Amino acid sequence: MEFLRPTTWTDALAAKAEHPSALPIRGGTDVMVELNFDVRRPDVLLDLGGVKELGEWSPSNGSIQLGAGVPYTRIITELGERLPGLALASRTVGSPQIRNRGTVGGNLGSASPAGDAHPPLLASNAVVVAESVRGRREIAIDDYFTGVKKNALAPDELIHSVLLPLATGPQQFSKVGTRNAMVIAVCAFGLALHPRERVVGTGIGSAAPTPVRAPEADAFLSGELPWETRGSLPETVGLEFGRLVAAAASPIDDVRGTAAYRRHALSVLARRTLGWAWHDYQTGAWS
Amino acid sequence: MRVTFTVNGTLQEADDVWEGESLLYVLRERMGLPGSKNACEQGECGSCTVYLDDVPVCSCLVAAGQVQDRDVRTVEGLASGDDLDPVQEAFIEAGAVQCGFCTPGLIVATHELLRRDDDPSDAEIREALAGNLCRCTGYEMIIDAVRLAATRARTGVRQ
Protein backbone atom coordinates (compact mmCIF):
# COMPACT_ATOMS: atom_id res chain seq x y z
CA MET A 1 0.00 0.00 0.00
CA GLU A 2 1.15 3.50 -0.73
CA PHE A 3 0.26 6.50 1.40
CA LEU A 4 0.11 9.81 -0.45
CA ARG A 5 -0.03 13.11 1.42
CA PRO A 6 -0.62 15.94 -1.02
CA THR A 7 -0.73 19.36 0.59
CA THR A 8 -2.36 21.22 -2.30
CA TRP A 9 -5.50 20.52 -4.29
CA THR A 10 -3.49 20.54 -7.52
CA ASP A 11 -1.21 17.84 -6.15
CA ALA A 12 -4.20 15.86 -4.92
CA LEU A 13 -5.76 15.89 -8.41
CA ALA A 14 -2.45 14.91 -9.98
CA ALA A 15 -2.15 12.02 -7.53
CA LYS A 16 -5.68 10.82 -8.31
CA ALA A 17 -4.97 11.04 -12.04
CA GLU A 18 -1.84 8.98 -11.61
CA HIS A 19 -3.51 6.47 -9.25
CA PRO A 20 -7.20 6.24 -10.22
CA SER A 21 -7.66 3.33 -7.81
CA ALA A 22 -6.44 5.41 -4.86
CA LEU A 23 -8.89 5.56 -1.97
CA PRO A 24 -9.35 9.11 -0.69
CA ILE A 25 -9.36 9.53 3.08
CA ARG A 26 -10.08 12.63 5.16
CA GLY A 27 -12.01 12.00 8.38
CA GLY A 28 -11.43 8.27 8.10
CA THR A 29 -14.70 7.38 9.83
CA ASP A 30 -15.69 5.03 6.99
CA VAL A 31 -12.39 4.23 5.36
CA MET A 32 -10.56 3.17 8.53
CA VAL A 33 -13.37 0.83 9.57
CA GLU A 34 -12.91 -1.01 6.29
CA LEU A 35 -9.13 -1.11 6.71
CA ASN A 36 -9.33 -2.21 10.34
CA PHE A 37 -11.66 -5.07 9.44
CA ASP A 38 -9.77 -6.12 6.34
CA VAL A 39 -12.76 -5.39 4.14
CA ARG A 40 -10.70 -3.30 1.77
CA ARG A 41 -7.05 -3.20 0.82
CA PRO A 42 -6.56 -0.29 -1.57
CA ASP A 43 -3.23 -0.02 -3.41
CA VAL A 44 -3.03 3.62 -2.49
CA LEU A 45 -4.46 5.73 0.31
CA LEU A 46 -4.82 9.34 -0.74
CA ASP A 47 -4.85 11.40 2.44
CA LEU A 48 -6.66 14.67 1.77
CA GLY A 49 -6.22 15.83 5.37
CA GLY A 50 -3.41 18.17 4.39
CA VAL A 51 -5.38 20.01 1.69
CA LYS A 52 -6.40 23.12 3.57
CA GLU A 53 -8.99 24.48 1.13
CA LEU A 54 -11.15 21.35 1.51
CA GLY A 55 -11.75 22.41 5.12
CA GLU A 56 -13.13 25.81 4.18
CA TRP A 57 -16.57 27.11 3.29
CA SER A 58 -17.62 30.42 1.77
CA PRO A 59 -20.75 32.20 0.53
CA SER A 60 -21.14 32.03 -3.24
CA ASN A 61 -24.08 33.53 -5.19
CA GLY A 62 -26.86 32.75 -2.75
CA SER A 63 -25.24 29.43 -1.92
CA ILE A 64 -22.68 28.14 0.47
CA GLN A 65 -19.74 26.44 -1.14
CA LEU A 66 -18.97 23.81 1.46
CA GLY A 67 -15.52 22.24 1.22
CA ALA A 68 -15.68 18.46 1.04
CA GLY A 69 -13.55 18.20 4.18
CA VAL A 70 -15.48 20.44 6.58
CA PRO A 71 -16.35 18.24 9.56
CA TYR A 72 -19.95 17.92 10.78
CA THR A 73 -19.12 19.67 14.05
CA ARG A 74 -18.28 22.84 12.15
CA ILE A 75 -21.40 22.60 9.97
CA ILE A 76 -23.43 22.52 13.19
CA THR A 77 -21.66 25.41 14.89
CA GLU A 78 -20.93 27.63 11.88
CA LEU A 79 -23.74 26.98 9.39
CA GLY A 80 -26.79 26.14 11.48
CA GLU A 81 -28.72 29.22 10.40
CA ARG A 82 -27.77 29.19 6.74
CA LEU A 83 -28.05 25.45 6.15
CA PRO A 84 -30.49 24.32 8.84
CA GLY A 85 -31.46 21.01 7.21
CA LEU A 86 -27.88 19.87 6.81
CA ALA A 87 -27.00 21.10 10.30
CA LEU A 88 -29.88 19.12 11.81
CA ALA A 89 -28.80 16.00 9.95
CA SER A 90 -25.19 16.60 11.01
CA ARG A 91 -26.27 16.60 14.65
CA THR A 92 -27.51 13.03 14.25
CA VAL A 93 -24.23 11.71 12.85
CA GLY A 94 -22.47 9.24 15.15
CA SER A 95 -21.02 10.85 18.26
CA PRO A 96 -18.95 13.96 19.01
CA GLN A 97 -15.78 12.08 18.08
CA ILE A 98 -17.28 11.01 14.75
CA ARG A 99 -18.73 14.47 14.03
CA ASN A 100 -15.30 15.98 14.70
CA ARG A 101 -13.88 13.97 11.80
CA GLY A 102 -16.69 12.95 9.46
CA THR A 103 -17.41 15.13 6.43
CA VAL A 104 -20.06 15.63 3.77
CA GLY A 105 -17.41 14.87 1.15
CA GLY A 106 -16.79 11.52 2.79
CA ASN A 107 -20.51 10.80 3.01
CA LEU A 108 -20.84 11.55 -0.71
CA GLY A 109 -17.75 9.51 -1.54
CA SER A 110 -19.17 6.47 0.25
CA ALA A 111 -22.62 7.19 -1.22
CA SER A 112 -24.29 4.89 1.27
CA PRO A 113 -28.10 4.91 1.01
CA ALA A 114 -28.02 5.59 4.76
CA GLY A 115 -25.69 8.61 4.65
CA ASP A 116 -27.17 11.21 6.98
CA ALA A 117 -26.14 14.19 4.83
CA HIS A 118 -27.93 12.95 1.75
CA PRO A 119 -31.61 13.68 2.50
CA PRO A 120 -30.96 17.40 3.19
CA LEU A 121 -28.74 17.66 0.11
CA LEU A 122 -31.61 16.30 -2.00
CA ALA A 123 -34.22 18.49 -0.30
CA SER A 124 -32.21 21.65 -0.90
CA ASN A 125 -31.06 20.88 -4.48
CA ALA A 126 -27.36 20.67 -3.74
CA VAL A 127 -24.73 20.45 -6.45
CA VAL A 128 -21.62 18.30 -6.08
CA VAL A 129 -18.48 19.95 -7.41
CA ALA A 130 -16.09 17.29 -8.73
CA GLU A 131 -12.68 18.01 -10.12
CA SER A 132 -9.94 16.19 -11.96
CA VAL A 133 -6.86 17.22 -13.90
CA ARG A 134 -9.27 17.38 -16.86
CA GLY A 135 -11.30 20.14 -15.24
CA ARG A 136 -14.21 20.96 -12.98
CA ARG A 137 -17.68 19.44 -13.21
CA GLU A 138 -20.87 20.32 -11.38
CA ILE A 139 -23.13 17.34 -10.74
CA ALA A 140 -26.74 17.95 -9.70
CA ILE A 141 -27.50 15.89 -6.61
CA ASP A 142 -30.24 14.06 -8.56
CA ASP A 143 -27.62 12.70 -10.94
CA TYR A 144 -25.04 11.90 -8.29
CA PHE A 145 -26.22 8.63 -6.69
CA THR A 146 -26.10 5.84 -9.26
CA GLY A 147 -26.58 2.70 -7.14
CA VAL A 148 -25.95 1.16 -3.74
CA LYS A 149 -22.72 2.87 -2.60
CA LYS A 150 -22.11 3.99 -6.18
CA ASN A 151 -21.77 7.53 -7.43
CA ALA A 152 -21.24 9.49 -10.62
CA LEU A 153 -17.57 10.28 -10.00
CA ALA A 154 -15.07 9.28 -12.65
CA PRO A 155 -12.06 7.30 -11.38
CA ASP A 156 -9.77 10.32 -11.66
CA GLU A 157 -12.19 12.73 -9.96
CA LEU A 158 -12.25 13.98 -6.38
CA ILE A 159 -15.06 15.82 -4.62
CA HIS A 160 -13.98 19.39 -4.07
CA SER A 161 -17.07 20.87 -2.47
CA VAL A 162 -20.84 20.99 -2.40
CA LEU A 163 -22.90 23.99 -3.43
CA LEU A 164 -25.85 24.36 -1.09
CA PRO A 165 -28.44 27.08 -1.70
CA LEU A 166 -28.94 29.22 1.41
CA ALA A 167 -32.17 28.32 3.17
CA THR A 168 -35.00 30.62 2.11
CA GLY A 169 -37.54 28.74 4.20
CA PRO A 170 -37.75 26.23 7.04
CA GLN A 171 -35.87 22.96 6.76
CA GLN A 172 -36.27 19.86 8.89
CA PHE A 173 -34.66 16.47 9.27
CA SER A 174 -35.65 13.42 11.20
CA LYS A 175 -34.20 9.98 11.55
CA VAL A 176 -35.28 6.72 13.11
CA GLY A 177 -32.72 4.70 15.03
CA THR A 178 -32.60 2.45 18.03
CA ARG A 179 -31.04 5.12 20.24
CA ASN A 180 -30.26 8.81 20.06
CA ALA A 181 -26.61 8.49 19.09
CA MET A 182 -24.26 6.21 17.20
CA VAL A 183 -26.92 4.79 14.94
CA ILE A 184 -27.11 4.18 11.25
CA ALA A 185 -30.51 5.36 10.15
CA VAL A 186 -33.27 2.77 9.91
CA CYS A 187 -34.81 5.44 7.73
CA ALA A 188 -34.45 9.20 7.53
CA PHE A 189 -36.26 12.12 5.96
CA GLY A 190 -35.26 15.65 5.02
CA LEU A 191 -37.71 18.40 4.14
CA ALA A 192 -37.10 21.91 2.81
CA LEU A 193 -39.75 24.52 2.11
CA HIS A 194 -38.84 26.97 -0.64
CA PRO A 195 -41.43 29.76 -0.18
CA ARG A 196 -40.14 31.99 -3.02
CA GLU A 197 -40.63 29.28 -5.59
CA ARG A 198 -43.52 27.83 -3.58
CA VAL A 199 -42.12 24.37 -3.88
CA VAL A 200 -41.16 21.66 -1.47
CA GLY A 201 -37.97 19.60 -1.44
CA THR A 202 -37.69 16.13 0.03
CA GLY A 203 -35.00 13.54 0.59
CA ILE A 204 -35.42 9.97 1.81
CA GLY A 205 -32.54 8.07 3.38
CA SER A 206 -32.03 4.38 4.07
CA ALA A 207 -35.19 3.25 2.30
CA ALA A 208 -34.12 2.64 -1.29
CA PRO A 209 -30.92 1.53 -3.08
CA THR A 210 -29.88 5.18 -3.14
CA PRO A 211 -31.05 8.28 -1.34
CA VAL A 212 -34.13 9.44 -3.27
CA ARG A 213 -36.63 12.24 -3.51
CA ALA A 214 -40.39 11.84 -3.27
CA PRO A 215 -41.43 13.81 -6.39
CA GLU A 216 -45.15 13.10 -6.17
CA ALA A 217 -45.17 14.10 -2.52
CA ASP A 218 -43.28 17.32 -3.41
CA ALA A 219 -45.78 18.20 -6.14
CA PHE A 220 -48.78 17.43 -3.95
CA LEU A 221 -47.56 19.45 -1.00
CA SER A 222 -46.34 22.39 -3.11
CA GLY A 223 -49.91 22.74 -4.39
CA GLU A 224 -51.64 22.25 -1.05
CA LEU A 225 -49.66 24.53 1.24
CA PRO A 226 -51.37 27.88 1.93
CA TRP A 227 -48.14 29.77 1.25
CA GLU A 228 -49.91 33.16 1.14
CA THR A 229 -52.13 32.99 4.22
CA ARG A 230 -49.80 30.78 6.25
CA GLY A 231 -52.97 29.25 7.64
CA SER A 232 -53.13 26.00 9.53
CA LEU A 233 -52.82 22.74 7.65
CA PRO A 234 -55.68 20.29 7.50
CA GLU A 235 -54.67 16.95 9.00
CA THR A 236 -55.49 15.27 5.70
CA VAL A 237 -52.63 17.16 3.98
CA GLY A 238 -50.05 15.74 6.37
CA LEU A 239 -51.48 12.24 6.07
CA GLU A 240 -51.51 12.32 2.28
CA PHE A 241 -48.00 13.80 2.20
CA GLY A 242 -46.83 10.98 4.45
CA ARG A 243 -48.53 8.39 2.27
CA LEU A 244 -46.87 9.75 -0.88
CA VAL A 245 -43.44 9.90 0.78
CA ALA A 246 -43.78 6.28 1.91
CA ALA A 247 -44.86 5.31 -1.61
CA ALA A 248 -41.72 6.89 -3.07
CA ALA A 249 -39.48 4.59 -1.03
CA SER A 250 -38.44 1.10 -2.04
CA PRO A 251 -37.03 -0.28 1.19
CA ILE A 252 -35.72 -3.74 1.97
CA ASP A 253 -35.98 -5.95 5.04
CA ASP A 254 -32.64 -6.03 6.83
CA VAL A 255 -31.13 -6.23 10.30
CA ARG A 256 -32.11 -2.65 11.07
CA GLY A 257 -35.78 -2.93 10.18
CA THR A 258 -38.38 -4.40 7.91
CA ALA A 259 -39.49 -2.78 4.69
CA ALA A 260 -42.99 -2.42 6.08
CA TYR A 261 -41.71 -0.69 9.20
CA ARG A 262 -39.56 1.66 7.15
CA ARG A 263 -42.52 2.65 4.99
CA HIS A 264 -44.69 3.28 8.01
CA ALA A 265 -41.95 5.21 9.82
CA LEU A 266 -41.30 7.36 6.75
CA SER A 267 -44.93 8.40 6.57
CA VAL A 268 -44.73 9.43 10.21
CA LEU A 269 -41.41 11.29 9.73
CA ALA A 270 -42.85 13.12 6.71
CA ARG A 271 -45.96 14.20 8.59
CA ARG A 272 -43.98 15.29 11.66
CA THR A 273 -41.30 17.22 9.81
CA LEU A 274 -44.02 18.95 7.83
CA GLY A 275 -45.73 19.96 11.07
CA TRP A 276 -42.49 21.38 12.47
CA ALA A 277 -41.53 23.13 9.24
CA TRP A 278 -44.97 24.65 8.75
CA HIS A 279 -45.00 25.88 12.33
CA ASP A 280 -41.60 27.47 11.68
CA TYR A 281 -42.98 29.09 8.53
CA GLN A 282 -46.03 30.45 10.35
CA THR A 283 -43.98 31.92 13.17
CA GLY A 284 -40.73 32.76 11.42
CA ALA A 285 -39.51 35.73 9.42
CA TRP A 286 -39.44 33.93 6.08
CA SER A 287 -40.41 36.07 3.13
CA MET B 1 6.79 4.57 6.19
CA ARG B 2 8.03 6.88 8.88
CA VAL B 3 5.63 9.06 10.87
CA THR B 4 6.81 11.94 13.03
CA PHE B 5 4.40 13.68 15.37
CA THR B 6 4.09 15.13 18.83
CA VAL B 7 2.63 12.96 21.57
CA ASN B 8 1.90 14.51 24.95
CA GLY B 9 4.34 17.30 24.26
CA THR B 10 7.22 15.14 23.03
CA LEU B 11 8.25 14.78 19.40
CA GLN B 12 8.09 11.08 18.50
CA GLU B 13 9.09 9.07 15.48
CA ALA B 14 7.65 5.76 14.37
CA ASP B 15 9.42 3.73 11.71
CA ASP B 16 8.19 0.94 9.45
CA VAL B 17 4.59 1.97 9.98
CA TRP B 18 2.23 0.05 7.71
CA GLU B 19 0.25 2.49 5.57
CA GLY B 20 -3.12 1.15 6.71
CA GLU B 21 -2.20 1.23 10.38
CA SER B 22 -4.27 3.28 12.83
CA LEU B 23 -3.05 5.96 15.19
CA LEU B 24 -4.36 3.76 18.01
CA TYR B 25 -2.00 0.94 17.02
CA VAL B 26 0.95 3.32 16.81
CA LEU B 27 0.19 4.73 20.26
CA ARG B 28 -0.25 1.38 21.96
CA GLU B 29 2.19 -0.89 20.18
CA ARG B 30 4.94 1.46 19.08
CA MET B 31 4.89 4.26 21.65
CA GLY B 32 4.05 2.11 24.66
CA LEU B 33 1.04 4.22 25.58
CA PRO B 34 -1.67 1.68 26.46
CA GLY B 35 -4.07 4.23 27.98
CA SER B 36 -6.12 4.45 24.80
CA LYS B 37 -7.96 1.15 24.66
CA ASN B 38 -8.49 -1.02 21.61
CA ALA B 39 -12.00 -2.41 21.54
CA CYS B 40 -14.31 -1.99 18.57
CA GLU B 41 -11.95 -0.57 15.92
CA GLN B 42 -14.93 1.09 14.25
CA GLY B 43 -15.54 4.26 16.20
CA GLU B 44 -18.50 2.86 18.13
CA CYS B 45 -17.09 2.58 21.64
CA GLY B 46 -14.93 5.66 22.17
CA SER B 47 -12.39 3.74 24.28
CA CYS B 48 -9.54 4.99 22.10
CA THR B 49 -10.48 8.69 22.26
CA VAL B 50 -7.51 11.08 22.12
CA TYR B 51 -7.04 14.72 21.28
CA LEU B 52 -5.77 15.31 17.75
CA ASP B 53 -4.75 18.96 17.40
CA ASP B 54 -6.95 19.61 20.45
CA VAL B 55 -10.04 17.89 18.99
CA PRO B 56 -11.29 14.58 20.46
CA VAL B 57 -11.25 11.79 17.91
CA CYS B 58 -11.35 8.01 17.84
CA SER B 59 -7.71 7.12 17.31
CA CYS B 60 -8.76 3.83 15.69
CA LEU B 61 -10.23 5.84 12.81
CA VAL B 62 -7.17 8.00 12.15
CA ALA B 63 -4.64 6.56 9.73
CA ALA B 64 -1.16 6.73 11.20
CA GLY B 65 0.11 8.70 8.21
CA GLN B 66 -2.51 11.38 8.86
CA VAL B 67 -0.85 12.51 12.09
CA GLN B 68 2.43 13.47 10.43
CA ASP B 69 3.57 16.79 12.00
CA ARG B 70 0.44 16.97 14.14
CA ASP B 71 -0.20 17.04 17.85
CA VAL B 72 -1.71 14.15 19.80
CA ARG B 73 -2.64 14.17 23.48
CA THR B 74 -3.66 10.91 25.10
CA VAL B 75 -5.15 10.21 28.52
CA GLU B 76 -1.55 9.74 29.72
CA GLY B 77 -0.95 13.38 28.83
CA LEU B 78 -3.73 14.77 31.03
CA ALA B 79 -2.04 14.21 34.39
CA SER B 80 1.05 16.18 35.25
CA GLY B 81 3.46 13.76 36.88
CA ASP B 82 1.75 12.24 39.89
CA ASP B 83 -0.89 14.96 39.95
CA LEU B 84 -4.02 13.63 38.36
CA ASP B 85 -6.22 15.85 36.27
CA PRO B 86 -9.33 16.97 38.21
CA VAL B 87 -11.47 14.87 35.85
CA GLN B 88 -9.43 11.79 36.75
CA GLU B 89 -9.77 12.56 40.45
CA ALA B 90 -13.52 13.00 40.11
CA PHE B 91 -13.86 9.63 38.36
CA ILE B 92 -12.03 7.94 41.23
CA GLU B 93 -13.99 9.71 43.94
CA ALA B 94 -17.36 9.14 42.34
CA GLY B 95 -16.58 5.46 41.82
CA ALA B 96 -17.11 5.90 38.10
CA VAL B 97 -14.65 3.13 37.35
CA GLN B 98 -15.49 -0.56 37.35
CA CYS B 99 -13.52 -2.68 34.93
CA GLY B 100 -11.83 0.51 33.77
CA PHE B 101 -11.72 -0.27 30.10
CA CYS B 102 -13.88 2.63 28.97
CA THR B 103 -12.42 5.03 31.53
CA PRO B 104 -9.59 6.62 29.52
CA GLY B 105 -11.92 7.47 26.64
CA LEU B 106 -14.58 8.81 28.98
CA ILE B 107 -12.00 10.94 30.77
CA VAL B 108 -10.78 12.52 27.53
CA ALA B 109 -14.38 13.14 26.39
CA THR B 110 -15.27 14.66 29.78
CA HIS B 111 -12.10 16.74 29.83
CA GLU B 112 -13.07 18.28 26.50
CA LEU B 113 -16.69 18.85 27.52
CA LEU B 114 -15.67 20.75 30.65
CA ARG B 115 -13.21 22.87 28.74
CA ARG B 116 -16.10 24.07 26.59
CA ASP B 117 -18.76 24.21 29.27
CA ASP B 118 -18.15 23.99 33.01
CA ASP B 119 -21.86 23.83 33.81
CA PRO B 120 -23.35 21.23 31.49
CA SER B 121 -26.89 19.98 31.96
CA ASP B 122 -27.47 16.26 32.29
CA ALA B 123 -28.70 16.18 28.70
CA GLU B 124 -25.52 17.92 27.56
CA ILE B 125 -23.39 15.46 29.53
CA ARG B 126 -25.22 12.55 27.95
CA GLU B 127 -24.81 13.98 24.47
CA ALA B 128 -21.11 14.68 25.01
CA LEU B 129 -20.50 11.13 26.24
CA ALA B 130 -22.76 9.46 23.69
CA GLY B 131 -19.76 8.11 21.79
CA ASN B 132 -18.29 6.30 24.80
CA LEU B 133 -19.69 2.91 25.74
CA CYS B 134 -19.45 1.45 29.22
CA ARG B 135 -20.67 -2.11 29.76
CA CYS B 136 -20.38 -2.06 33.57
CA THR B 137 -21.67 1.01 35.27
CA GLY B 138 -25.04 1.96 33.86
CA TYR B 139 -23.45 5.40 33.49
CA GLU B 140 -24.95 6.91 36.65
CA MET B 141 -21.66 7.15 38.53
CA ILE B 142 -19.93 8.38 35.40
CA ILE B 143 -22.42 11.20 35.15
CA ASP B 144 -21.93 11.85 38.89
CA ALA B 145 -18.20 12.14 38.18
CA VAL B 146 -18.77 14.66 35.40
CA ARG B 147 -21.03 16.73 37.67
CA LEU B 148 -18.41 16.59 40.44
CA ALA B 149 -15.62 17.65 38.09
CA ALA B 150 -17.80 20.42 36.69
CA THR B 151 -18.65 21.77 40.14
CA ARG B 152 -14.97 21.84 41.04
CA ALA B 153 -14.06 23.48 37.76
CA ARG B 154 -16.60 26.23 38.46
CA THR B 155 -15.74 26.76 42.09
CA GLY B 156 -12.03 26.05 41.82
CA VAL B 157 -12.30 23.85 44.92
CA ARG B 158 -10.49 20.53 44.93
CA GLN B 159 -10.69 17.85 47.63
Side-chain angles (χ1 to χ4, degrees):
Chain A
M1 200 183 292
E2 263 189 274
F3 195 90
L4 304 178
R5 292 183 271 224
T7 52
T8 67
W9 182 238
T10 309
D11 287 352
L13 293 178
K16 188 64 171 149
E18 195 183 336
H19 306 276
S21 66
L23 183 62
I25 178 171
R26 175 95 180 188
T29 55
D30 256 7
V31 169
M32 285 305 290
V33 176
E34 294 190 321
L35 291 183
N36 290 343
F37 285 83
D38 225 344
V39 175
R40 206 155 163 181
R41 280 286 175 268
D43 310 332
V44 182
L45 272 179
L46 178 55
D47 175 25
L48 299 174
V51 181
K52 198 164 162 277
E53 69 181 274
L54 294 181
E56 294 165 354
W57 61 263
S58 58
S60 164
N61 280 338
S63 291
I64 295 292
Q65 180 152 20
L66 179 71
V70 177
Y72 292 112
T73 303
R74 286 184 48 210
I75 295 173
I76 297 163
T77 54
E78 298 169 25
L79 291 165
E81 284 182 17
R82 284 171 274 203
L83 306 174
L86 182 61
L88 282 167
S90 300
R91 279 202 63 165
T92 76
V93 173
S95 64
Q97 291 94 323
I98 302 297
R99 293 191 289 271
N100 284 341
R101 295 280 292 168
T103 64
V104 173
N107 224 210
L108 285 166
S110 302
S112 160
D116 291 316
H118 304 150
L121 297 186
L122 282 160
S124 61
N125 303 310
V127 172
V128 180
V129 180
E131 246 180 277
S132 70
V133 289
R134 296 173 292 117
R136 175 186 162 122
R137 188 160 72 103
E138 295 192 352
I139 308 169
I141 193 71
D142 296 80
D143 302 325
Y144 180 79
F145 302 105
T146 55
V148 179
K149 297 193 175 184
K150 290 196 162 41
N151 60 46
L153 294 178
D156 65 344
E157 281 180 319
L158 292 171
I159 302 169
H160 175 268
S161 52
V162 182
L163 292 168
L164 283 135
L166 291 167
T168 54
Q171 300 182 350
Q172 282 293 342
F173 175 83
S174 195
K175 165 174 162 183
V176 173
T178 43
R179 56 181 285 238
N180 281 339
M182 292 309 304
V183 288
I184 300 174
V186 174
C187 61
F189 183 69
L191 175 69
L193 302 186
H194 307 292
R196 285 183 205 159
E197 300 84 7
R198 304 211 165 164
V199 296
V200 170
T202 52
I204 295 172
S206 232
T210 66
V212 290
R213 288 178 194 267
E216 288 179 27
D218 301 351
F220 164 77
L221 191 59
S222 303
E224 291 289 325
L225 289 178
W227 297 101
E228 194 70 46
T229 63
R230 304 191 190 206
S232 55
L233 287 185
E235 204 185 326
T236 50
V237 171
L239 287 169
E240 179 62 5
F241 180 60
R243 194 188 68 77
L244 290 169
V245 166
S250 42
I252 54 168
D253 295 321
D254 71 5
V255 290
R256 298 203 299 278
T258 63
Y261 173 74
R262 285 186 159 105
R263 274 218 171 81
H264 173 73
L266 273 174
S267 71
V268 175
L269 294 184
R271 183 158 45 83
R272 280 189 194 156
T273 51
L274 171 60
W276 299 332
W278 192 250
H279 178 264
D280 289 347
Y281 184 61
Q282 289 177 309
T283 55
W286 308 104
S287 55
Chain B
M1 67 178 165
R2 172 179 290 185
V3 182
T4 308
F5 63 112
T6 303
V7 185
N8 299 328
T10 306
L11 192 66
Q12 297 274 11
E13 206 168 77
D15 265 322
D16 299 320
V17 172
W18 175 59
E19 288 72 14
E21 201 166 301
S22 69
L23 168 61
L24 175 62
Y25 188 91
V26 173
L27 291 171
R28 290 178 57 85
E29 308 298 334
R30 298 180 186 275
M31 310 269 154
L33 293 170
S36 315
K37 296 292 177 275
N38 183 1
C40 75
E41 293 186 281
Q42 52 184 323
E44 294 271 352
C45 76
S47 305
C48 67
T49 303
V50 301
Y51 282 111
L52 172 59
D53 287 345
D54 237 20
V55 174
V57 304
C58 293
S59 58
C60 72
L61 299 184
V62 178
Q66 294 188 291
V67 299
Q68 176 68 35
D69 301 327
R70 298 180 70 178
D71 190 68
V72 173
R73 193 177 181 199
T74 70
V75 69
E76 287 97 340
L78 296 186
S80 26
D82 290 338
D83 289 333
L84 293 181
D85 183 87
V87 174
Q88 293 171 312
E89 282 179 352
F91 268 66
I92 294 169
E93 284 176 47
V97 177
Q98 284 189 29
C99 88
F101 201 84
C102 67
T103 310
L106 278 160
I107 283 175
V108 176
T110 303
H111 187 270
E112 194 268 345
L113 166 66
L114 297 183
R115 257 182 7 174
R116 273 187 288 126
D117 179 1
D118 66 7
D119 194 13
S121 66
D122 282 5
E124 286 163 341
I125 294 171
R126 285 177 181 276
E127 186 170 12
L129 301 186
N132 294 76
L133 292 182
C134 170
R135 298 288 80 161
C136 306
T137 68
Y139 300 101
E140 289 305 320
M141 286 183 285
I142 291 170
I143 292 168
D144 287 345
V146 180
R147 292 192 197 108
L148 178 63
T151 305
R152 287 183 182 164
R154 285 198 305 278
T155 57
V157 178
R158 284 171 76 171
Q159 300 297 333

